[in-house]
Amino acid sequence: VQLQASGGGLVQSGGSLRLSCTASGSIFSIGVMGWYRQAPGKQRELVATISSSGRTEFADSVKGRFTISRDNAKNTVYLQMNSLKPEDTAVYYCNVDHVATTGANAINYWGKGTLVTVSS
C-alpha cells in the first residue's frame, strides 16, 4: 500500500488549504484514516482521524477550524484547513490502517508528508 499526499503549500494567516491523501496498491479494506503533523523541533502529533463509518476525532488545537472527510470509493482522505494560523506550520502526514485479507490484523502505513507553511 502506498500513500500519496498533496495540497500543501504557503498560505497567509487566516487562509485555507485542502490536503488530500490517496491510498493505492493492493487495497482490500481500509480502516481508520488520519492526518498527523510535525513542526520543526517538535514531536509528531495527531491532527484528525476518521473511521470507516465516518466517526471523526480532532486535536483540540484544530477543532472548529479543520474538517476531515473520506471518499471510500477513491481510497482518499481529505483535510480541509480553514482559519490557518502560523502555529499550524508543519509537515502533514497521512496515516492509514489497512487490512490485507479477512480476519487479518490491520497494518499501519504513513505517507511521505506535505509541507504546510502559514505566514503571519
Side-chain angles (χ1 to χ4, degrees), residues 34-48:
W35 291 92
Y36 292 71
R37 66 186 181 187
Q38 187 167 19
K42 295 188 177 181
Q43 290 188 330
R44 191 172 298 189
E45 64 176 4
L46 169 72
V47 177

Side-chain angles (χ1 to χ4, degrees), residues 57-75:
E57 294 188 9
F58 294 91
D60 288 342
S61 59
V62 306
K63 283 181 181 177
R65 300 188 298 123
F66 292 10
T67 59
I68 187 170
S69 60
R70 62 192 283 170
D71 185 332
N72 292 328
K74 296 181 179 179
N75 297 322

Side-chain angles (χ1 to χ4, degrees), residues 92-112:
Y92 284 70
Y93 298 90
C94 63
N95 180 272
V96 164
D97 282 339
H98 176 256
V99 175
T101 187
T102 303
N105 292 326
I107 297 175
N108 191 252
Y109 293 87
W110 289 94
K112 288 187 177 180

